[in-house]
Amino acid sequence: MNELIDKVDNLINVIDNTEQVMDIKSLNEEVMKDEKLLSLIKKYQETQDDKLKKEIINNELFSHYKEKETDLNILILEINSKLKEISNKGKCC
């Protein structure tokens, strides 16, 4: 059981140090410091105004963040696929 815990901890460390995770963490910090962008997002959440949505989407930092978020989601899908392969190998029939 300890070996499994060690392997999971190792996997978490490897994932945390991937380019995708490091990029999204860095961009998240930048987004959190951008008061104008945060204000637009908050207003959009309250109003669902399409004009605000376009302004947010056209924001370079937000756009870059969403690209990196997509990269991270692809990594998650790849990990899930590999885990599914591993778990299916142990099944009979």
Side-chain angles (χ1 to χ4, degrees):
M1 184 67 166
N2 286 338
E3 182 181 341
L4 178 60
I5 292 171
D6 289 341
K7 287 184 179 189
V8 170
D9 286 343
N10 186 36
L11 178 61
I12 290 169
N13 288 332
V14 169
I15 292 169
D16 277 346
N17 290 310
T18 62
E19 181 180 344
Q20 295 90 337
V21 171
M22 291 171 46
D23 285 348
I24 200 78
K25 284 181 178 180
S26 174
L27 284 168
N28 188 48
E29 289 176 12
E30 287 183 52
V31 167
M32 292 304 182
K33 291 177 184 174
D34 189 329
E35 292 181 19
K36 182 181 177 189
L37 178 57
L38 290 175
S39 175
L40 290 172
I41 292 170
K42 184 176 179 179
K43 286 179 188 175
Y44 176 74
Q45 288 173 337
E46 294 169 356
T47 65
Q48 303 293 307
D49 182 354
D50 284 337
K51 183 179 174 187
L52 285 173
K53 182 178 180 178
K54 286 180 185 179
E55 191 173 348
I56 293 167
I57 290 170
N58 289 331
N59 179 288
E60 186 177 332
L61 177 58
F62 183 80
S63 177
H64 191 61
Y65 177 88
K66 294 306 278 184
E67 287 175 22
K68 294 301 179 176
E69 183 180 56
T70 300
D71 292 343
L72 182 59
N73 286 331
I74 290 169
L75 175 63
I76 291 168
L77 289 172
E78 290 172 352
I79 291 169
N80 285 338
S81 175
K82 292 292 182 186
L83 289 173
K84 186 176 180 180
E85 284 179 28
I86 291 168
S87 65
N88 284 340
K89 285 182 182 177
K91 292 182 179 176
C92 177
C93 306

